[in-house]
């Protein structure tokens, strides 16, 4: 949240400029002779540059001006947009310490889940990527990416050699012994439990309800929900499989 | 320490549910804390093993440390290590707790003007120390426990470099007498090495070689392998115990000669006398100049010795002859507890007996010429140090790896002398009596955090490597020495190795250090050195010692099997595990014979006062049959006044001593050569009128003839056992086919075979189980109400018991008799019954029969009606009366919890499930490799750590599995506990074998049982008794 | 239509007068008694009460539910317990029995309400607290022209008092 | 002749003088009127004690069951003992109203109402102890076979589940029984009450008018309920006894437990009725309705059941000895001479020996003695359960775990609370509802009168 406010102000400012110049134009027209040349829209960041270019593409009449230091491909438009989306508190799911978008990484660039969550196929616990893993790629990125607050935060953590306190979304009680590796072995794909993460900018629990015959419905990650899947796939229903 | 960066990853991070500190019924894992840099060797959720070495006692067993996410969670024996071969004793198991002990010092501290400790930084601490030493280098002394060669070496170099006054190695149980005796008899000072493998006749002259003496695990393994019934030699093997008290070790012998305390030497000589004659007649070598020996032994005929020792001459003669005829006999000298003012002579006598029996060089090895570490100081040297301190000649005293204020006899005056020392520096990881008096406390790493090594014997050297990044702001003693030296200037610093102590350790190993780390050390035991009896031996005066003080009882202070010399008192598991003999925990009790008790008019639980010239203490009286009338026994180890568990602090009464310290009662007396003597004083026992509720976990050793801890006479086995080595044609006497009790489809039916004949009662399994399964300790008050939580207990039965009934409220039931041994130690744990009585009565299906035959217990389903426990005839279920998980694991203890096992919350029943988490792990690997679980792939914590391999776990549906084969090899010994109840247990017990001590050995060495043992019953007879 | 009320002291009188009245065709009558008297009730209507049907139905549903529930639940997720069969009848009989009683009892109450017409908010004009003391009442509804005959009949059987509660 | 016009007839009618209300009504309803200071003191202290016990219980839930005196292996203690005790008490009521009803034992009418009420209150008290006893009360809903998301049911093979069903059924049926039987009396009260009581009784009486239709349905349903309740009474305590008989604990695993417990239950039930009714009839002057004849009949029952119970004790010991099973023998020997010998002898004296004095009519009709005796029997019956449960568990198959249990003060506090809870309800009941079945008393009275007058003709 903290990092988003300045960007908001930036946008407001731009809009303000735009409106003001519009009015100015109108007034000039009113007074007839010697119409003043329209003030062009000036980009103040790469992301904004992308935004303006897009608008320009829509109506060519628009006067825009992109300072050269903002006229570059990185961060890509997609990055800017998903970064924005991951910061939006009004979509489901908590805002994470870093606006990391699974949609961007897993969806757009199709990074394999196991690339970051390594060891999931070997270990009961799904690995949460070490900060190093993130830096593995992001340290190679051009510095212009730093205009994204998320990248900046990441680098701060890295410099402070601190781990990132992610907020856990998919949580099982401590008395449940879940084994990721066995489920991968069995060919269950991540989405079965975690939902279509590759389409989420902000990861959140996708509600999924199974209606038992004769019984109360069971929600995702509740016991009945697991049992249902186990029954359908002929997996073990022995209590000791998950509870000991 | 730059080198440590390689191990930076050993930091405390729980991943997901990795930190299973939350109680089983609340789920409080809300943040995911990933690594900053994830080490290549760590996969969150998977265990990583490191080889290291146990530092609890000088035996120095090899360890495999199981870590999860950089936290050690379980210690197991290193199978490659020649001393323990994968086993580990209770003390070793519990030692993991030192690292997570709530008492630990968080920072270095200095005693301020007010006398209170205040934090300082390492920098100023070392600076201050350096300055203080520089004032008067000669006044600097180092006093500390036995260390590994490289640290010991470093200390010596430090002493040399700063020109310190000197260094004393201090071990309370230092075996001074034995070291001297070895010099006197063989001319080689130091600790002889005892290798009991294959020994077919062991005479333990009060060594208690299964408990604390030299290398207990090794001795247990060797003796019990030697008496394995599978071989003729095994059936022939015998063990005789000589001593005033039926100790745990004695309980495993075949014959007990209850000699007067301190007279073991004479017994040894008498045996030697008989054996010598017999061997000479047979023309066998006698390990020395026959004439010399004959002259030396002549006066000690059994008849003469009978009176002073109180042992029947005939018995002495018989044992002597059996010894002479045995193939590999060996005698073990008296242990520290029996070291009297005549201890050197007594130990020498034992060594002479060994020599006569030709055991020297075969079972007994002379000490190496050049010991890896200096010999410990004897009492004389310590007295000299105290004198120097009193004279103000000691300005700086560095105390490491020891607690002399507690473990030195008070009469020595060490405590007062400390006050006269300019600066006392204590290197300890936690508070104890010594740190209380130290001016500077420089917290040391625990062994799990530090580098080092340890040498069990020539050729065997284990490495100690850190398996966790230091939890607190502590430093290894070695590094502090280096830093101090450097702080004293380059002149001094240059004389010591550069870099850190790790460098010193690494440098001390030739070749690849990584290979060493992988294996856990270098294991090439040197062959035993032989030797002959020297003429000097004749100069020794063999006499029964005279004791100081008055009173009609000799005060015998044996080391505690669990608390050792008292260092174990800080660990709750060792405090809470019932004593293998009396089954008392947390308290200190005075053992006295029933006759003495009647004479004093005391009953079990009455508080009695013990008075000796050294002082007075109070303890709880515990009358028993297994002790001489002229002796009272008070185990060493209790009586600490500092520490959360060691003292009564946890009752909110900080600093009140828990129990009585035997050491405080012992006058400071030397043996012939200035060694420390323990059996020195008489004690006057008086009743105080007080009474205490005993924390007694087994109130009766009378099994009433019920089918628990059976026994069979060897005679009854002979024919059958001859016929078959192992799986023979005869089928096992198996009341029920437990293998059937799993679903038809299942390939497995987990089961166990427990050999009662091999169980020594050492209780290592109990502690291993507690640590593997996150079982909390509950404290004294709860144990008094029998609310101990351990899933596995060792039941101790004496004989088949009687069905006599006592009216009223018997305090406890005791059937021991002087000179008679029929102890059956029978581990009792959940039998995983096929027709389990506990299952049908649970209203909510919290306990049920799993497809693979386990009796599952689902904690989060349990609502605590406790019906299952009522219906369990074995009484192996435990109930969480309080939220032990929250109350009994203060920080940082939760870090040592096993993430694979749910922590149980208040109001929930719990019990053993054969370490189902281990079964599950094995199943996962097997599945991934697309194969069934192999035999021996799963080993529950108890079976894994058992020094004598009494517990064998396996799949009953696999006829070839070790468990089944062992049960079948057991032949008629196999039985099920309480089988008349038709619970179809999956555990087969093998009955204890009673080897008739009076069995004659004929010339060819084979044994023929003389008569049927009075106590022997076959299980079948017994069930209906 | 007028309603006459005769007040009596003894149940046998009520029984007689009721039988008599019905014999004369005055079937629309009602008795009030302070305590249960079989003769009175049968005099008004000799058919046995239908409550028993309810009890029977209740009991049967109970036993069926009991066995069905236990057996189905035990087999819905079969879990081994001490080597006992999943559908073991003896223990389930207890559940079956208890439910028989429970349902039977509850339906009996239902029967009482339906058959007995309870609870009712309506209060007869003829009813008065004296009938919850120790007196009996017989209320007859008849045609105007029959009033005197009924009156006579009522008095004829020793009515302490006859009154016209409704003209 | 043409009949006279109705108004003429009406004119002819001269209403007779009103007679006063029935004496039975007045006597019995008067119990409900006004309350003495003593009553309020009693009630207040009962309520207070209930609160104290409640506080203890909350503390126990917060701190853990460990505050009770449990010792390994004695995992059942005073709570279960008291549970069984109250279930036993609950038996007299239904027995009197159902079985004696079927046997047409008219003398029951004097006491059945209070007995039924006590039944309901006793079951309520007992049921609470199931909750107090379990380790995780907050999870105890697991025991109900309700459709749940876990797809997991309950274990109908467990005696504890049989208990759950038996107790709840018993509570429901006896409550229904009490209410149905009371409807006519509520109507009586309604016709005489004023103010809020009139509203209350009016609502509860369901517009009862005592018409033949009402009575017919009523008598019929009471008959059927009795028919259903009779086997229920016998089953409930058998089921409770199976909690023990189904286990293999020596001293529990006995076939005679069913009848033995039922007899004991009736025994204690009647004792409790006496303990409660003797003071009541004295204080409210109901000697005329609850006569010495009734007391004598009840004491006859006491005598009978006491003999049965005594026989059960004897046969238990005989079987233990004769079976030759060492564990059984030890267990029973320990009962009599072991750590719990006091409880055992209290049990034997109070339940099997003292009641024998009831052979003498002098005793049966001597009210103070009866009262003392009934109290003793209650004590004895509590100890019977204590002996069975505690000694059984403390001396089991594995001698290494033999342990000795002593109740803690918390448990005794809750035990006291249960008595307060019970009497609180009974006291309220006294002032709110007719303590004797008025209608049924009248039935008797009117029959008698009819007899005196020898019928009309």
């Amino acid at each position: 949240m903290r990092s988003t406010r300045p960007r908001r102000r930036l946008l407001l400012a731009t809009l303000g400029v735009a409106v003001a110049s519009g009015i100015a134009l109108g007034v000039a027209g009113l007074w007839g002779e010697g119409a003043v040349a329209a003030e062009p829209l000036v980009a103040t960041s790469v992301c904004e540059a992308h935004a303006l270019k897009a608008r320009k593409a829509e109506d060519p009449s628009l006067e825009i001006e992109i300072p050269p230091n903002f006229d570059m491909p990185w961060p890509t438009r997609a990055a800017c947009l998903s970064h924005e989306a991951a910061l939006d508190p009004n979509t489901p799911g908590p805002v994470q310490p870093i606006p990391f978008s699974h949609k961007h990484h897993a969806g757009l660039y199709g990074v394999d889940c196991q690339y970051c969550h390594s060891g999931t196929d070997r270990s009961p616990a799904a690995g949460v990527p070490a900060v190093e893993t993130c830096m593995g790629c992001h340290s190679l990125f051009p510095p212009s990416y730093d205009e994204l607050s998320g990248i900046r935060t990441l680098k701060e953590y890295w410099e402070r050699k601190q781990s990132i306190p992610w907020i856990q979304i998919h949580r099982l009680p401590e008395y449940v012994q879940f084994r990721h590796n066995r489920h991968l072995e069995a060919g269950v794909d991540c989405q079965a439990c975690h939902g279509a993460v590759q389409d989420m900018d902000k990861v959140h629990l996708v509600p999924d309800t199974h209606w038992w015959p004769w019984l109360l419905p069971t929600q995702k990650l509740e016991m009945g929900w697991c049992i249902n899947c186990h029954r359908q796939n002929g997996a073990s229903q022995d209590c000791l499989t998950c509870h000991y | 320490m730059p080198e440590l960066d390689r191990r930076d990853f050993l930091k405390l991070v729980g991943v997901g549910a990795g930190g299973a500190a939350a109680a089983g019924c609340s789920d409080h894992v809300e943040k995911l804390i990933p690594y900053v840099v994830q080490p290549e060797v760590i996969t969150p959720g998977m265990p990583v093993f490191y080889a290291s070495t146990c530092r609890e006692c000088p035996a120095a067993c090899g360890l495999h440390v199981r870590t999860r996410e950089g936290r050690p969670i379980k210690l197991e024996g290193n199978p490659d290590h020649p001393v323990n071969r994968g086993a580990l004793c209770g003390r070793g198991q519990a030692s993991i707790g030192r690292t997570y002990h709530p008492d630990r010092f968080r920072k270095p501290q200095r005693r301020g003007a007010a006398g209170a400790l205040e934090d300082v930084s390492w920098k100023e601490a070392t600076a201050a120390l350096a300055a203080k030493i520089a004032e008067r280098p000669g006044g600097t002394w180092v006093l500390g426990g036995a260390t590994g060669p490289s640290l010991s070496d470093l200390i010596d170099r430090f002493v040399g470099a700063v020109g310190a006054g000197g260094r004393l190695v201090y071990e309370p149980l230092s075996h001074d007498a034995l070291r001297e005796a070895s010099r006197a008899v063989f001319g080689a000072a130091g600790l002889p090495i005892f290798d009991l493998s294959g020994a077919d006749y062991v005479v333990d002259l009060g060594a208690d070689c299964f408990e604390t003496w030299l290398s207990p695990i090794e001795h247990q393994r060797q003796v019990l392998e030697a008496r394995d019934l599978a071989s003729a030699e095994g059936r022939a093997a015998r063990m005789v115990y000589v001593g005033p008290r039926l100790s745990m070790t004695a309980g495993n012998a075949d014959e007990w000669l209850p000699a007067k305390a301190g007279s073991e030497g004479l017994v040894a000589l008498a045996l030697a006398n008989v054996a010598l004659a017999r061997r000479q007649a047979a023309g066998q070598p006698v390990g020395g100049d026959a004439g010399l020996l004959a002259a030396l032994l002549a006066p000690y005929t059994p008849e003469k010795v009978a009176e002073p020792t109180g042992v029947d001459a005939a018995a002495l003669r018989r044992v002597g002859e059996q010894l002479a005829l045995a193939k590999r006999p060996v005698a073990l000298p008296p242990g520290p507890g029996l070291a009297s003012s005549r201890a050197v002579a007594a130990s020498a006598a034992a060594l002479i007996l060994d020599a006569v029996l030709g055991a020297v060089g075969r079972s007994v090895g002379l000490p190496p010429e050049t010991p890896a570490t200096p010999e410990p100081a004897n009492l004389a040297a310590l007295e000299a140090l105290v004198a120097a301190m009193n004279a103000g000649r000691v300005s700086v005293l560095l105390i490491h790896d020891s607690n002399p204020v507690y473990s030195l006899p008070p009469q020595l005056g060490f405590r007062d002398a400390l006050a006269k020392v300019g600066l006392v520096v204590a290197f300890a990881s936690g508070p104890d009596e010594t740190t209380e008096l130290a001016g500077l406390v420089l917290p040391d790493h625990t062994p799990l955090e530090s580098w080092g090594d340890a040498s069990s014997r020539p050729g065997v050297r284990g490495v100690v490597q850190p398996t966790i990044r230091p939890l607190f702001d502590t430093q290894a003693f070695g590094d502090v020495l280096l830093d101090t030296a450097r702080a004293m200037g380059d002149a001094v610093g240059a004389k010591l190795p550069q870099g850190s102590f790790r460098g010193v350790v690494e440098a001390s190993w030739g070749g690849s250090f990584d290979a060493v780390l992988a294996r856990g050390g270098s294991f090439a035991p040197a062959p035993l050195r032989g030797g002959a009896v020297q003429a000097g031996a004749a100069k020794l005066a063999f006499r029964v010692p005279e004791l100081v003080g008055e009173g009609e009882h000799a005060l015998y202070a044996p080391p505690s099997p669990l608390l050792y010399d008292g260092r174990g008192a800080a660990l709750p598991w060792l405090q809470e595990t019932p004593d293998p003999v009396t089954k008392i925990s947390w308290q200190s009790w005075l053992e006295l014979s029933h006759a003495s008790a009647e004479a004093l008019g005391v009953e079990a639980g009455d508080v009695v006062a013990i008075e000796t010239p050294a002082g007075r203490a109070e303890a709880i009286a515990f009358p028993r049959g297994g002790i001489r009338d002229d002796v009272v026994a008070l185990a060493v180890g209790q009586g600490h006044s500092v520490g959360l568990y060691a003292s009564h602090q946890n009752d909110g009464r900080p600093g009140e001593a828990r129990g009585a310290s035997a050491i405080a009662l012992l006058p400071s007396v030397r043996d012939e050569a200035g060694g420390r003597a323990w059996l020195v004083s008489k004690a006057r026992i008086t009743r105080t009128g007080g009474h205490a509720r005993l924390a007694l976990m087994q109130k009766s050793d009378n099994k009433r003839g019920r089918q628990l801890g059976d026994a069979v006479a060897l005679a009854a086995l002979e024919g059958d056992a001859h016929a078959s080595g192992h799986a023979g044609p005869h089928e096992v006497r198996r009341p029920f086919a437990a293998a059937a009790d799993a679903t038809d489809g299942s390939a497995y039916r987990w089961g166990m075979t427990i050999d009662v004949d091999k169980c020594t009662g050492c209780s290592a399994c109990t502690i291993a189980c507690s640590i593997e399964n996150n079982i909390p300790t509950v404290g004294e008050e709860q144990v008094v109400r029998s609310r101990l939580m351990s899933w596995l207990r060792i039941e101790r039965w004496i004989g088949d018991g009687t069905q006599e009934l006592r009216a009223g409220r018997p305090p406890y039931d005791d059937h021991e008799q002087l000179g008679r041994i029929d102890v059956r130690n029978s581990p009792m744990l959940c039998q995983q019954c096929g027709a389990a009585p506990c299952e049908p009565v649970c209203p909510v299906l919290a306990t049920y029969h799993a497809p693979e035959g386990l009796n599952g217990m689902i904690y989060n389903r349990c609502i605590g009606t406790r019906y299952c426990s009522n219906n369990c005839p074995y009484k192996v279920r435990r109930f969480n009366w309080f939220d032990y998980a929250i109350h009994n694991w203060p920080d940082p203890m939760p870090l040592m919890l096993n993430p694979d096992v749910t922590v149980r919350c208040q109001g929930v029943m719990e019990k053993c499930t054969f370490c189902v988490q281990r079964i599950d792990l094995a199943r996962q690997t097997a599945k991934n490799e697309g194969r069934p679980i192999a035999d021996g792939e799963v080993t529950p914590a108890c079976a894994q750590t058992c020094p004598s391999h009494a517990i064998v776990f396996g799949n009953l549906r696999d006829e070839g599995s070790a468990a089944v084969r062992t049960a079948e090899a057991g032949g008629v010994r196999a039985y099920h506990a309480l089988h008349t109840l038709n619970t179809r247990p999956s555990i087969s017990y093998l009955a204890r074998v009673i080897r008739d001590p009076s069995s004659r050995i004929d010339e060819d060495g084979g044994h023929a049982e003389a008569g049927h043992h009075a106590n022997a019953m076959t299980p079948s007879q017994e069930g209906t008794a | 239509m007028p309603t006459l009320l005769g007040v009596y002291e003894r149940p046998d009188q009520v029984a007689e007068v009721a039988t008599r009245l019905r014999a004369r065709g005055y079937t629309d009558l009602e008795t009030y008694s302070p305590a249960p008297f079989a003769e009175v009730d049968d005099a008004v209507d000799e058919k046995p009460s239908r409550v028993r049907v309810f009890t029977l139905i209740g009991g049967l549903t109970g036993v069926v539910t009991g066995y069905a529930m236990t057996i189905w639940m035990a087999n819905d997720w079969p879990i081994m317990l001490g080597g006992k069969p999943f559908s073991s009848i003896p223990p389930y009989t207890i559940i079956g029995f208890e439910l028989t009683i429970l349902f039977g009892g509850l339906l009996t109450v239902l029967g009482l309400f339906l058959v007995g017409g309870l609870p009712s908010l309506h209060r007869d004009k003829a009813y008065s607290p004296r009938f919850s003391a120790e007196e009996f009442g017989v209320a007859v509804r008849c045609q105007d022209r029959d009033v005197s005959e009924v009156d006579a009949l009522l008095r004829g059987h020793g009515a302490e008092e006859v009154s016209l509660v409704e003209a | 002749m043409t009949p006279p016009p109705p108004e003429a007839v009406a004119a002819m009618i001269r209403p007779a003088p009103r007679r006063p209300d029935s004496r039975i009504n007045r006597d019995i309803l008067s119990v409900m009127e006004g309350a003495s200071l003593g009553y309020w003191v009693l009630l207040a202290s009962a309520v207070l004690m209930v609160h104290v016990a409640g506080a203890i219980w909350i503390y126990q839930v917060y701190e853990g069951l460990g505050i009770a005196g449990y010792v390994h292996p004695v995992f059942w203690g005073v709570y279960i003992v008291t549970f069984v005790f109250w279930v036993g008490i609950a038996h007299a009521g239904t027995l009197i109203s159902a079985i004696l009803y079927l046997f047409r034992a008219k003398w029951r009418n004097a006491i059945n109402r209070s007995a039924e009420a006590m039944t309901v209150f006793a079951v309520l008290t007992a049921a609470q102890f199931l909750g107090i006893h379990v380790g995780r009360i907050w999870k105890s809903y697991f025991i109900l076979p309700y459709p749940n998301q876990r797809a997991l049911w309950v274990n109908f093979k467990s005696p504890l589940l049989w208990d759950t069903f038996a107790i709840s059924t018993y509570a429901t049926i006896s409550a229904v029984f009490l209410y149905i039987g009371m409807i006519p009396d509520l109507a009586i009260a309604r016709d005489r009450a004023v103010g809020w009581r009139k509203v209350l009784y009016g609502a509860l009486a369901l517009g009862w008018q005592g018409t033949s239709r009402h009575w017919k349905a009523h008598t019929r349903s009471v008959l059927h309920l009795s028919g259903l309740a009779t086997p229920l009474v016998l089953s409930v305590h058998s089921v409770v006894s199976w909690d023990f008989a189904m286990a293999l604990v020596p001293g529990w695993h006995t076939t005679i437990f069913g009848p033995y417990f039922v007899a004991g239950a009736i025994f204690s039930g009647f004792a409790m009725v006496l303990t409660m009714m003797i003071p009541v009839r004295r204080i409210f002057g109901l000697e005329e309705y609850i006569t010495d004849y009734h007391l004598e009949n009840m004491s006859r029952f006491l005598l009978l059941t006491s003999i049965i119970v005594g026989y059960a004790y004897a046969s238990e010991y005989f079987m233990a000895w004769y079976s030759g099973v060492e564990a059984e023998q030890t267990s029973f020997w320990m009962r009599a001479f072991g750590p719990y010998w006091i409880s055992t002898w209290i049990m034997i004296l109070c339940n099997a020996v003292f009641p024998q004095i009831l052979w003498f009519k002098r005793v049966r009709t001597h009210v103070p003695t009866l009262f003392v005796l009934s109290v003793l029997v209650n004590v004895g019956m509590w100890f019977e359960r204590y002996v069975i449960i505690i000694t059984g568990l403390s001396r089991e198959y594995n001698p290494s775990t033999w342990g000795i249990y002593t109740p803690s003060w918390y448990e005794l506090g809750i035990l006291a609370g249960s008595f307060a809870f019970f009497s609180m309800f009974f006291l309220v009941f006294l002032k709110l509802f007719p303590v004797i079945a008025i209608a049924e008393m009248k039935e008797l009275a009117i029959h008698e009168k009819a007899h005196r007058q020898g019928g009309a003709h």
Side-chain angles (χ1 to χ4, degrees), chain A residues 22 38 61 83 87-88 91 105 123-124 131 154 157 184 188 193 220 224:
Chain A
S61 69
H83 190 268
L87 280 166
D88 179 359
T91 53
H105 294 76
S123 149
V131 184
L154 171 65
Y157 275 112
L184 288 188
V188 181
C193 304
K220 173 177 259 176

Side-chain angles (χ1 to χ4, degrees), chain A residues 95-106:
Chain A
V95 174
Q96 297 282 6
I98 292 181
F100 174 87
S101 162
H102 277 83
K103 184 179 182 180
H104 188 70
H105 294 76

Side-chain angles (χ1 to χ4, degrees), chain C residues 6-22 29-34 37-44 131 134-140 150 152-162, chain D residues 19 446-447 449-457:
Chain C
V7 179
Y8 297 83
E9 224 181 305
R10 299 205 314 270
D12 53 343
Q13 300 169 319
V14 183
E16 285 165 16
V17 72
T19 339
R20 194 90 174 70
L21 283 164
R22 289 182 63 225
L29 53 81
E30 186 60 274
T31 61
Y32 304 98
S33 56
F37 290 99
E39 62 266 44
V40 176
D41 304 345
D42 294 341
V44 178
F131 301 133
E134 286 182 20
E135 291 168 289
F136 296 78
V138 180
V140 194
V150 173
L153 273 168
L154 290 173
R155 294 180 185 284
H157 289 80
E160 304 174 349
E161 165 193 343
V162 175
Chain D
R19 43 177 59 221
I446 291 168
H447 267 307
K449 194 164 57 180
H451 230 71
R452 269 204 314 278
Q453 303 179 352
H457 320 294

Side-chain angles (χ1 to χ4, degrees), chain B residues 253-275:
Chain B
D254 304 303
E255 180 167 17
W256 173 29
L257 306 178
K260 284 198 185 122
S263 72
E264 300 78 13
L266 294 178
V267 173
L269 293 174
L271 297 178
N273 175 308
V274 177

Side-chain angles (χ1 to χ4, degrees), chain D residues 132-181:
Chain D
I132 296 173
H133 158 83
V134 297
R136 293 204 297 165
I137 178 79
W138 54 92
K139 290 281 182 195
S140 48
Y141 62 85
F142 280 168
I143 209 171
L144 303 175
Y146 71 101
N148 57 62
Q149 58 86 7
R150 294 176 294 278
L152 189 55
W153 299 111
V154 295
N155 173 15
F156 288 106
K157 299 186 185 82
S158 164
L160 291 183
L161 213 70
W162 309 343
D163 260 2
T164 323
F165 275 73
I167 299 297
S168 45
T169 306
Y170 192 53
T172 322
I173 295 297
S174 37
V176 164
F177 211 106
L178 173 64
Y179 176 59
I180 298 297

